[in-house]
Amino acid sequence: MNPWGRCPTGIVTAALDPAPPGGGDLTLGARNYTRTFRTTSTFTDVPTGLVRLEARPLWTDSLTLWAPYPPSWSGTLYAFHPLTLRVGYSMVPGQIAFSASGLPGDAWAWVGAGGYGALVPGGGGAAVEALPGYYRTSADPGVSVSRAGSGVSWVEIYTLQGVSPPEVAVRSTETARVVTSYTGPLPGTLCEDDNRRQVAPGAYTAPPSVLVGSWTESYTESCPPGQVGGITVTEWWATHRV
């Protein structure tokens, strides 16, 4: 029984570290006692006994959510034993999902947004965690893929057509999307005699040779000195276009 005729009180300090800009959103509760506050505070009139502290998530702007840790605490307060409670807030991340179209499945392009990015396979995607904010987007301007076949090798080059959106907004707990598109492969020049034409990269079978003309040449050679006679040689010549 309290000889003074009133409920004893104690001291509770709630320390926020770190705290969101402008402070958090917290409530200290005890028997017939409630205090709501935003920054580090000390309360000297808290009734002893069961004490509860609740911290709520807080949006500081349209993109950014802060989550408390721990979100709640409960314990017993005694008159001569002050309590110090510590609560922190952390920014809740969002996610950026990157994708690339127009590339073969074995081609990889770097797609980014601000300081975030990922290597994305053709026709596929990749996602990264990102803090809330606005980020300019970008991507590899060109992607090269090495190929080989039929005893030869070549390179396919794909060029960037666009990145959408130009600037992406990342919101806490949500997924923002960045889409890139490529076109290709760029053609190369195939030369056949004086004929030049643009063709897709690859292995091509050479056309069969074509007989352009033929002729014969004949000449006679005598036998070496000391021998009698001679020989007539006839040669057949031809030119082919290959």
Side-chain angles (χ1 to χ4, degrees):
M1 180 175 180
N2 182 7
W4 301 102
R6 60 180 180 178
C7 294
T9 59
I11 300 174
V12 177
T13 298
L16 271 70
D17 184 25
D25 183 10
L26 303 95
T27 297
L28 179 67
R31 182 180 53 178
N32 299 321
Y33 183 94
T34 301
R35 295 290 186 273
T36 298
F37 59 101
R38 298 183 63 85
T39 61
T40 296
S41 302
T42 298
F43 305 91
T44 61
D45 58 345
V46 183
T48 57
L50 180 64
V51 176
R52 299 177 305 277
L53 179 67
E54 295 184 358
R56 288 168 290 277
L58 182 68
W59 288 92
T60 54
D61 56 45
S62 61
L63 298 180
T64 310
L65 174 67
W66 295 78
Y69 57 92
S72 62
W73 178 92
S74 63
T76 302
L77 173 66
Y78 299 96
F80 302 104
H81 293 83
L83 281 177
T84 298
L85 311 178
R86 299 190 181 279
V87 179
Y89 272 83
S90 62
M91 190 182 297
V92 178
Q95 193 176 67
I96 306 176
F98 301 102
S99 63
S101 64
L103 294 174
D106 60 347
W108 295 79
W110 176 262
V111 185
Y116 302 98
L119 276 174
V120 181
V128 299
E129 191 175 84
L131 292 178
Y134 295 92
Y135 302 98
R136 296 290 299 177
T137 59
S138 60
D140 279 336
V143 175
S144 299
V145 184
S146 297
R147 302 286 190 205
S150 301
V152 297
S153 61
W154 65 94
V155 175
E156 295 177 353
I157 298 177
Y158 298 81
T159 55
L160 178 66
Q161 294 301 291
V163 185
S164 179
E167 183 178 71
V168 65
V170 179
R171 192 171 191 265
S172 295
T173 74
E174 297 182 4
T175 299
R177 303 190 181 279
V178 177
V179 179
T180 61
S181 60
Y182 286 82
T183 187
L186 292 177
T189 301
L190 180 63
C191 301
E192 299 172 282
D193 292 329
D194 295 330
N195 180 29
R196 296 171 178 264
R197 57 193 175 101
Q198 298 292 299
V199 299
Y204 291 86
T205 301
S209 62
V210 177
L211 178 63
V212 176
S214 62
W215 66 93
T216 59
E217 293 182 359
S218 298
Y219 57 90
T220 300
E221 290 188 354
S222 302
C223 293
Q227 299 182 19
V228 179
I231 185 172
T232 299
V233 178
T234 300
E235 297 178 342
W236 181 81
W237 292 80
T239 58
H240 295 262
R241 184 177 66 194
V242 179

